[in-house]
């Protein structure tokens, strides 16, 4: 029996997913190797954050266990939906009610629901998912159920006088398209950490408004939680904007709780999609989230633990890279604007992200090759094959050792050591 067209599309192995399978297989079958996994997307295990969620879990079990484990509303548990509405009224002044909110098993599931609802075939032809800030989250590549359903606009860049660089969006490329059903962008971005500026966010909203399509803004790393890094454009309430939020990077990735806030005309179909597919998110996890939001505990750990941790870890990572990376190789680190990753570009014709992955694997280190975060055809020796991502969330000892080995492997791979290079500063 063969798969349907949708089955074929959804069963394919995306680039980063195949890498994760390789990482899991190697770590499970190899003995005597101390693996340094700098490819992972888990948030750091910050003690204060762990304690906060443990206390919220204890409260949920003791206070509302029976209700939490029963079947619930597909929109989300009323206690959490009301806590979300109250939180955003108090903190951002948003006049929203339950009709503007949907809770799902992770924000990626909500993006998948949106892709199924707003992209694909309709009476006017194929409507694609517009990704205006490529490179962007690799998970977006797998949410479209039709081949060729992703329309990415690759960013340009500007380089600093130091070892930094910064992506610049090609908004005109997105504006010229006539086949889009929705726009989707993460800010801060996974993998680069780039944050939308207010003028860029406004421009994307104007494009969505002109095309009469929704703009989905994924705030998984941004405001109001977990606020990993300095973000520029705050979440905005607008008739063409759906804001997606997640508790994963705020310390609860495995429980899969995310929510979206937006106009009723977009939220109501998403509620129906969840009802027809997964029913609803985990009841216990929703009870924990409601407690953390309504008590102020989440805001407290964001300010006192999460933000300081990642600020310090980013500073450490920059120092480690400057010490470890070869001075005669033209490498750059994307400017720090948020997120929990380091995004590196080795601007050398001989460099390949997948070759680096293979060489580092032999040294017991895993990184994420950058090509999985781009869309469209790949060509060797171009920017989309010269980048890679490392996480900042592993133990400091592993981070130090891992970056040291990365520098050694890249230095050993360089076929020449001549030419003018940027100075050693960030």
């Amino acid at each position: 029996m063969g798969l349907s067209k949708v089955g074929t599309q959804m069963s394919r192995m995306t680039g980063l997913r195949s890498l994760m399978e390789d990482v899991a297989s190697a770590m499970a079958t190899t003995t005597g190797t101390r693996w340094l996994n700098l490819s992972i997307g888990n948030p750091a295990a910050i003690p204060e954050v762990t304690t906060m969620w443990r206390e919220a879990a204890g409260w949920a079990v003791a206070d509302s266990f029976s209700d939490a484990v029963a079947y619930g509303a597909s929109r989300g548990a009323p206690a959490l939906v009301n806590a979300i509405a109250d939180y955003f009224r108090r903190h951002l002044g948003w006049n929203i009610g339950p009709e503007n909110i949907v809770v799902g098993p992770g924000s990626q599931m909500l993006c998948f629901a949106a892709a199924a609802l707003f992209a694909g075939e309709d009476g006017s032809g194929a409507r694609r998912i517009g990704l205006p800030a490529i490179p962007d989250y690799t998970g977006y590549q797998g949410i479209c159920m039709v081949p060729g359903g992703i329309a990415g606009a690759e960013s340009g860049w500007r380089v600093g006088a130091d070892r930094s660089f910064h992506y610049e969006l090609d908004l005109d490329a997105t504006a010229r398209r006539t086949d889009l059903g929705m726009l989707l962008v993460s800010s801060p971005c996974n993998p680069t950490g780039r944050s939308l500026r207010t003028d860029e966010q406004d421009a994307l909203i104007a494009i969505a408004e002109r095309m009469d399509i929704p703009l989905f803004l994924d705030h998984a790393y941004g405001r109001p939680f977990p606020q990993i890094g300095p973000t520029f454009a705050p979440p905005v309430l607008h008739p063409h904007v759906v804001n997606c939020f997640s508790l994963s990077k705020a310390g609860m990735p495995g429980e899969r709780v995310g929510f979206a806030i937006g106009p009723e005309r977009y939220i109501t179909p998403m509620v129906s999609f969840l009802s027809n597919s997964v029913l609803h998110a985990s009841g216990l996890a929703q009870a924990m989230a409601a407690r953390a939001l309504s008590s102020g505990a989440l805001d407290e750990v964001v300010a006192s633990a999460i933000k300081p941790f990642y600020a310090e870890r980013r500073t450490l990572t920059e120092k480690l890279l400057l010490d470890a990376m070869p001075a005669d190789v033209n490498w750059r680190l994307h400017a720090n604007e948020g997120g929990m990753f380091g995004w590196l570009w080795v601007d050398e014709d001989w460099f390949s992200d997948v070759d680096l992955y293979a060489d580092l694997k032999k040294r017991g280190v895993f990184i994420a090759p950058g090509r999985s975060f781009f869309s469209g055809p790949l060509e060797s020796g171009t920017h989309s094959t010269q980048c890679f991502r490392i996480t900042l969330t592993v133990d400091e000892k592993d981070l130090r050792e891992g970056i040291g080995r990365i520098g050694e492997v890249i230095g050993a791979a360089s076929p020449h050591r001549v030419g003018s290079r940027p100075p050693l500063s960030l």
Side-chain angles (χ1 to χ4, degrees), residues 104-397:
S107 58
Q108 183 161 335
M109 181 63 198
L110 295 174
C111 291
F112 174 70
L117 291 165
F118 306 117
E121 293 285 342
D122 67 3
S124 61
R127 296 169 65 86
R128 297 183 177 183
I129 302 168
L131 303 182
I134 295 294
D136 207 342
Y137 176 46
T138 185
Y140 297 155
Q141 307 283 344
I143 64 174
C144 187
M145 291 191 285
V146 295
I150 300 292
E154 293 203 7
S155 304
W157 58 80
R158 54 180 169 82
V159 298
D162 50 21
R163 290 283 187 176
S164 70
F165 78 106
H166 187 276
Y167 286 116
E168 297 294 328
L169 303 193
D170 186 353
L171 293 169
D172 289 340
T174 298
R176 287 194 299 267
R177 299 204 69 100
T178 59
D179 58 350
L180 299 181
M182 61 178 284
L183 294 171
L184 176 59
V185 61
S186 66
S187 180
C189 170
N190 172 6
T192 68
R194 187 192 192 282
S195 293
L196 288 176
R197 300 190 305 265
T198 300
D199 63 308
E200 293 171 330
Q201 182 169 280
D202 290 346
L204 289 172
I205 292 172
I207 293 170
E209 194 169 22
R210 176 174 59 81
M211 296 181 178
D212 193 23
I213 61 174
L215 165 63
F216 280 75
L217 294 174
D218 186 348
H219 303 282
Y221 299 86
R223 303 186 201 177
F225 40 78
Q227 292 194 49
I228 300 177
T231 55
F232 304 130
V236 60
L237 201 62
H238 187 275
H240 285 85
V241 173
V242 178
N243 292 280
C244 295
F245 304 92
S246 172
L247 295 175
S248 293
K249 309 311 177 186
M252 202 165 61
E255 292 307 303
R256 311 307 303 141
V257 177
F259 59 92
I261 299 175
E264 186 175 0
R265 66 168 175 154
Y266 298 135
I267 296 298
T268 298
M270 294 175 69
V271 174
S272 297
F273 187 96
L274 293 181
S275 178
N276 290 325
S277 55
V278 297
L279 293 183
H280 56 72
S282 162
L284 273 175
Q286 290 188 74
M288 293 166 60
R291 177 70 172 182
L293 275 178
S294 60
S295 69
L298 181 56
D299 285 338
E300 185 177 332
V301 296
V302 165
S304 65
I306 295 178
K307 291 175 65 175
F309 174 88
Y310 285 104
E312 292 172 6
R313 187 54 63 91
R314 174 69 185 208
T315 300
L316 172 63
T317 300
E318 292 178 356
K319 180 181 184 303
L320 293 175
L321 287 168
L322 289 172
D323 290 343
M325 292 289 282
D328 57 354
V329 171
N330 191 15
W331 65 272
R332 296 182 182 275
L333 176 68
H334 195 276
N336 178 29
E337 296 176 353
M340 60 186 209
F341 304 105
W343 179 251
L344 288 98
W345 171 28
V346 180
D347 187 16
E348 300 281 3
D349 291 340
W350 50 265
F351 181 82
S352 164
D353 58 338
V354 293
D355 288 347
L356 177 65
Y357 175 84
D359 291 341
L360 282 170
K361 182 180 176 182
K362 297 174 185 176
R363 295 286 308 275
V365 179
F366 288 112
I367 50 92
R371 64 184 62 197
S372 298
F373 300 90
F374 290 85
S375 63
L378 297 170
E379 184 178 346
S380 297
T382 60
H383 183 75
S384 57
T385 64
Q386 294 176 332
C387 299
F388 64 98
R389 189 192 78 179
I390 60 172
T391 183
L392 312 184
T393 65
V394 294
D395 289 343
E396 183 176 327
K397 179 181 178 182

Side-chain angles (χ1 to χ4, degrees), residues 46-53 301 304-305:
I46 303 172
E48 297 90 336
V49 179
T50 301
T51 297
M52 186 272 292
W53 286 119
V301 296
S304 65

